Amino acid sequence: MLRMGVDLGGTKIELVALNAQGKELFRKRLPTPREYEATLDTIVSLVEEAETRLGMTGSVGVGIPGVISPFSGLVKNANSTWINGKPLDIDLGLRLSREVRVANDANCFAVSEATDGAGAGKGVVFGVIIGTGCGGGIAINGRVHSGGNGICGEWGHNPLPWMSKEEFNSTSCFCGNHDCIETFISGTGFVRDYNQAGGNVTKGSEIMELVDAGDVRAVAAFERYLDRLARSLAHVINTLDPDVVVLGGGMSNIDAIYPKLPEILAKYVLGGECRTPVVQNLYGCSSGVRGAAWLW
C-alpha cells in the first residue's frame, strides 16, 4: 500500500509517500501559491508526480493549518486564509478521483508520533506544537480525535491557567481574546516576555544562550516559561490524562525543558502526583506530513 501525506503550509506544500511499514519512498516540496485553485493544482501535481515516479497509486491525506467544519464541510480557522470557506477535501477528491482525508496539522503531528514516533504504543497521545504559535492535537489508538466541533486539541486558545495578577489581561491573541496560552508559551511569547523584562532578542535560542551563560534576566525568563508551560499542560492532564505528551515545534528543541518540567508539572496536577511522560518528538518538522499520510 502507498500512503501519501501532504503538508499544506503558508510558504510550502510538501508531499511524502510512505509504504505500509512507514518507509519513505518519495518526498518533494513546492512553494505555496496564495490562491485556492492554484493550491489545488499544486497538490494534484505532487500526487501525480509521486504516483508516476513510483508506479503505484495510493491514498491521500492532507494536513492544514485549520480544520474542516463538521457542520458546513468548509475549511475554517486557517491562517492560509485563501482556503477558508472552501470544501478542500471534496474539491481535491474530485480532481484525484478518490476520497481525500483532511485534518488539522497539529492532529497530524499527534497521529505521526502515535503511529511510529515518540508516542508509539501509547493509547492516548497529546501532541503539542510550540513554535511561532501554539497548537495541540489528540490521537487515540493512532487515530485523530477531532471532536464534535472539529476543534479538539485547541488548548492554546484557552486562558493561561492560574494567572498571577501581573499576567492577567497582559497579552492579546490573534483569535481576538486576551491571555491565551499561545501568547505565553509559544516561541513568540517567550521572546516577548524576555524583551518586556528589559531584554533585546529576536529568537528563543538567543535567550537560551544567555541562560547557559548564567544571565540572570534570561534565567528568570526561562523559569517563568517553564512554570507557564507546566500550568498549561497540567490543565490538559487534569482533563484528558493522556498516556504521553509529545512536544514539537522550535521550542521543543530546548533540551533543558525535559529534566526540569516534571517536578514543576506535579505542583499543578490534581493530587500533587504526575508521572505523565513529556518527550521530544521523533520526526521533527517531518512529523506533520507523515501524520497526514497515516490518516489512512
Side-chain angles (χ1 to χ4, degrees), residues 10-294:
T11 59
K12 54 85 179 171
I13 297 175
E14 183 173 30
L15 179 143
V16 66
L18 307 177
N19 68 9
Q21 291 73 43
K23 180 182 178 181
E24 185 178 311
L25 305 177
F26 177 88
R27 180 188 292 263
K28 186 172 181 178
R29 62 172 58 180
L30 293 171
T32 303
R34 303 179 71 83
E35 191 271 327
Y36 183 65
E37 292 297 329
T39 295
L40 296 178
D41 292 340
T42 300
I43 294 172
V44 170
S45 71
L46 286 168
V47 170
E48 290 177 344
E49 181 176 350
E51 293 184 332
T52 299
R53 292 270 294 274
L54 297 172
M56 293 183 280
T57 58
S59 59
V60 178
V62 182
I64 63 172
V67 297
I68 300 273
S69 167
F71 310 117
S72 68
L74 307 177
V75 176
K76 65 178 182 178
N77 302 338
N79 56 18
S80 300
T81 55
W82 58 94
I83 66 173
N84 282 329
K86 306 292 187 182
L88 182 68
D89 54 341
I90 300 300
D91 287 342
L92 280 174
L94 289 171
R95 291 198 182 206
L96 292 169
S97 300
R98 74 198 80 172
E99 181 186 354
V100 173
R101 293 181 180 172
V102 175
N104 176 261
D105 49 11
N107 281 328
C108 290
F109 169 79
V111 167
S112 171
E113 295 297 328
T115 300
D116 61 351
K122 303 292 188 180
V124 181
V125 175
F126 184 64
V128 177
I129 300 176
I130 38 178
T132 304
C134 168
I138 298 169
I140 299 177
N141 296 325
R143 294 181 177 272
V144 169
H145 180 67
S146 57
N149 296 299
I151 56 171
C152 194
E154 288 289 2
W155 121 111
H157 293 287
N158 290 297
L160 180 72
W162 300 290
M163 271 186 278
S164 67
K165 182 172 65 175
E166 293 75 24
E167 290 168 336
F168 182 73
N169 208 25
S170 64
T171 71
S172 297
C173 186
F174 79 89
C175 73
N177 290 319
H178 295 277
D179 303 329
C180 286
I181 286 170
E182 172 169 311
T183 65
F184 290 97
I185 70 165
S186 63
T188 306
F190 185 35
V191 169
R192 174 196 55 78
D193 177 68
Y194 175 74
N195 288 342
Q196 285 182 343
N200 184 23
V201 300
T202 58
K203 295 185 293 185
S205 58
E206 296 175 66
I207 305 174
M208 294 312 298
E209 289 173 4
L210 293 168
V211 170
D212 292 339
D215 181 87
V216 175
R217 183 184 290 125
V219 170
F222 185 51
E223 288 176 350
R224 287 193 299 274
Y225 179 84
L226 285 173
D227 190 73
R228 290 162 176 168
L229 179 59
R231 281 184 265 161
S232 302
L233 291 177
H235 228 209
V236 175
I237 293 168
N238 284 340
T239 305
L240 180 66
D241 205 3
D243 296 309
V244 64
V245 175
V246 183
L247 303 186
M251 293 297 290
S252 73
N253 296 321
I254 298 176
D255 293 336
I257 288 175
Y258 301 97
K260 295 177 181 293
L261 189 63
E263 182 179 353
I264 307 171
L265 198 55
K267 293 195 308 182
Y268 295 109
V269 171
L270 183 64
E273 296 179 315
C274 180
R275 297 189 181 180
T276 305
V278 180
V279 300
Q280 190 174 21
N281 64 85
L282 182 61
Y283 286 111
C285 60
S286 294
S287 211
V289 72
R290 289 179 61 88
W294 287 123

